């Protein structure tokens, strides 16, 4: 059998293309737009920054808390309904956000948007592709991350143009309408009908680990520790990156020059994987990717020259770009595809909760260390521990035929 859907339903390429467009717009709307609305909301509503940041933190926490339930729904065959409802909920949440007038309303909105994140951003799409197209899911995951990598590039100029034309409330309403009226129907269409797949002849679903069995494997916990530390370091850095540059005495113009390098480096890392890395073991690729993180953080902690900081941006961007591919491919490779939603959701949920806690934890750390240099070296140490945990996470013996 071919890896195409039945008559009247989209095939592999159409499904991947539609999901990639959905990832691009959902990431832009749900993850990157928040910072662009902070100043307009402060000016219009008079709320302080901690109040606003608390709403986003709640959203990130809800994202982590909802990941397992989203994965379980996909394992139960409800991926189409989940991703469609997630895009619709995201659109509704943005429309409600455009009408907030009190902090409790913003927090209620971000609780909804956090649930929408768990239903749409990367992990659900990875799991749906893994279950529908077992021979080509790695290729599909790579495509989704390549397209999704441009979300930040799209977000900032698009939101600036919308705010200039419609104000911040109108901009939110337009973005919400796009998700509700375009992306939700696109998800419904892309995942229509049962996929007819050619599963490997040697694959037996009975060999695949359940979540209960995975939780008893050292590999699960080592990978969970690895990806949790990676998420923590990434989130802590992004939350404090501009104050860290200021503490170094780096001019704002140079700091922005460094930061805009991260996005292209992220996409470049994924393209490099497409061109050169597909024949490599994900475990080898992952070890290299993980080692880039502590190297990048050490460079950032100890350097002030522009060239060294640009090297940091390249290493950090490539690590962030490729870790998503590694995580998405390694879970089914180690534990099988049958329960990939629950296993991947549980693993990513732990990391997402750490991401939500990272900005505040970094602030607390700065109260007990001399300054940003020492705090960043602490993040580098976390990166070393993540690398060691990844390398010790050997595939379970039963995963070999998968």
């Amino acid at each position: 059998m071919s890896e195409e859907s039945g008559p009247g339903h989209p095939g592999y390429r159409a499904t991947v293309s539609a999901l990639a467009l959905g990832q691009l717009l959902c990431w832009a709307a749900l993850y990157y737009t928040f910072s662009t609305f902070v100043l307009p909301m402060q000016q219009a509503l008079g709320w302080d920054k901690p109040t606003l940041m608390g709403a986003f933190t709640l959203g990130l926490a809800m994202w982590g808390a909802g990941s397992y339930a989203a994965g379980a729904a996909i394992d139960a065959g409800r991926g189409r309904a989940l991703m469609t409802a997630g895009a619709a909920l995201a659109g509704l949440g943005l429309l409600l956000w455009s009408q907030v007038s009190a902090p409790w309303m913003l927090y209620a909105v971000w609780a909804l948007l956090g649930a929408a994140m768990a239903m749409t951003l990367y992990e659900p799409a990875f799991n749906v592709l893994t279950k529908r197209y077992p021979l080509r899911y790695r290729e599909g995951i790579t495509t989704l991350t390549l397209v999704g990598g441009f979300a930040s590039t799209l977000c900032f100029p698009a939101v600036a143009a919308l705010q200039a034309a419609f104000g911040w409330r109108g901009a939110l309403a337009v973005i919400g309408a796009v998700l509700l009226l375009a992306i939700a129907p696109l998800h419904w269409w892309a995942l229509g009908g049962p996929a007819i797949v050619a599963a490997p002849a040697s694959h037996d679903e009975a060999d695949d680990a359940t979540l209960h069995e995975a939780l008893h494997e050292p590999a699960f916990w080592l990978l969970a520790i690895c990806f949790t530390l990676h998420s923590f370091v990434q989130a802590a850095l992004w939350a404090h990156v501009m104050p860290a540059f200021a503490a170094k005495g780096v001019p704002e113009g140079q700091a922005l020059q460094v930061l805009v390098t991260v996005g292209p480096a992220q996409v470049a890392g994924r393209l490099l994987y497409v061109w050169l890395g597909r024949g490599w073991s994900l475990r080898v690729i992952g070890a290299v990717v993980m080692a880039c993180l502590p190297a990048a953080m050490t460079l950032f902690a100890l350097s002030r020259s522009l060239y060294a900081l640009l090297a940091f941006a390249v290493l950090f961007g490539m690590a962030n770009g490729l870790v998503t591919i590694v995580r998405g491919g390694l879970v089914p490779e180690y534990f099988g595809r049958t329960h990939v939603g629950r296993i991947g959701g549980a693993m990513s949920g732990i990391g997402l909760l750490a991401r939500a806690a990272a900005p505040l934890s970094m602030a607390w750390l700065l109260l007990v260390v001399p300054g940003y240099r020492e705090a960043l070296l602490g993040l580098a140490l976390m990166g070393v521990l993540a690398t060691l945990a990844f390398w010790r996470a050997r595939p379970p013996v039963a995963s070999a035929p998968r």
Side-chain angles (χ1 to χ4, degrees):
M1 287 185 286
S2 67
E3 288 197 342
E4 298 295 331
S5 293
H9 298 300
Y12 172 80
R13 289 183 179 83
T15 297
V16 171
S17 298
L19 291 179
L21 177 60
Q23 290 301 300
L24 175 67
L25 294 180
C26 286
W27 271 100
L30 291 172
Y31 190 75
Y32 291 107
T33 60
F34 183 83
S35 63
T36 66
F37 287 97
V38 170
L39 289 179
M41 291 183 70
Q42 278 188 289
Q43 293 167 2
L45 301 171
W47 301 345
D48 59 27
K49 191 172 292 184
T51 297
L52 295 172
M53 291 298 177
F56 189 54
T57 297
L58 174 62
L60 295 178
M62 288 294 294
W63 181 7
S67 293
Y68 173 79
I74 291 170
D75 285 345
R78 301 189 182 95
R80 184 191 193 196
L82 177 85
M83 295 200 68
T84 302
L89 183 62
L92 178 61
L94 286 158
L95 290 171
L96 292 173
W97 183 5
S98 73
Q99 301 302 311
V100 299
S101 57
W104 72 265
M105 297 172 70
L106 182 65
Y107 278 68
V109 162
W110 269 96
L112 292 178
L113 291 175
M117 286 176 165
M119 298 163 75
T120 55
L121 297 187
Y122 275 158
E123 203 77 31
F126 292 171
N127 293 338
V128 166
L129 285 179
T130 298
K131 295 179 79 67
R132 290 172 70 88
Y133 302 106
L135 294 181
R136 300 179 69 181
Y137 68 88
R138 284 178 63 173
E139 176 185 339
I141 287 172
T142 302
T143 300
L144 295 191
T145 58
L146 275 173
V147 176
F150 290 100
S152 60
T153 305
L154 166 72
C155 170
F156 297 114
V159 171
L162 288 172
Q163 288 180 348
F166 305 109
W168 70 270
R169 291 188 186 273
L172 285 169
V174 170
I175 298 168
V178 170
L179 295 186
L180 184 62
L181 301 178
I183 301 305
L186 183 66
H187 282 171
W188 184 258
W189 171 80
L191 300 175
I196 303 173
V197 299
S202 62
H203 179 256
D204 184 348
E205 290 188 0
D207 293 332
D208 290 350
T210 64
L211 175 62
H212 178 76
E213 292 167 342
L215 291 175
H216 286 80
E217 292 285 354
F220 175 92
W221 292 106
L222 287 167
L223 290 177
I225 290 169
C226 166
F227 295 132
T228 295
L229 289 172
H230 194 284
S231 293
F232 184 95
V233 171
Q234 179 192 48
L237 177 67
W238 279 122
H240 292 265
V241 67
M242 291 307 292
F245 274 120
K248 288 175 174 293
V250 175
E252 185 176 346
Q254 285 192 5
L256 292 176
Q257 186 178 346
V258 172
L259 292 178
V260 298
T261 306
V262 173
Q266 182 171 290
V267 175
R270 290 167 179 168
L271 286 172
L272 189 64
Y273 171 76
V274 171
W275 291 331
L276 302 176
R278 288 187 176 181
W280 294 10
S281 160
L282 271 181
R283 188 164 181 265
V284 172
I285 294 172
V288 174
V289 168
M290 291 299 163
C292 286
L293 183 65
M297 298 309 301
T298 302
L299 267 175
F300 189 43
L302 301 179
S303 303
R304 292 188 181 184
S305 76
L306 178 60
Y307 293 113
L309 292 172
L310 288 172
F312 146 76
V314 171
L315 287 174
F316 185 69
M318 292 184 70
N320 286 339
L322 287 170
V323 72
T324 308
I325 295 174
V326 172
R327 188 184 69 240
L330 210 61
V331 172
E333 188 174 294
Y334 275 29
F335 302 106
R337 298 182 303 275
T338 305
H339 304 284
V340 68
R342 290 179 175 87
I343 296 171
M347 190 179 293
S348 66
I350 298 169
L352 289 167
L353 291 172
R355 176 183 289 181
L360 185 58
S361 299
M362 183 72 164
W364 287 340
L365 177 61
L366 287 164
L367 296 176
V368 297
V369 298
Y372 269 107
R373 180 186 180 202
E374 291 75 16
L376 291 167
L377 287 174
L379 295 182
L381 178 59
M382 290 184 182
V384 171
L385 295 175
T387 305
L388 293 174
F390 183 88
W391 190 248
R392 288 184 62 84
R394 297 185 178 277
V397 175
S399 71
R402 294 174 192 152

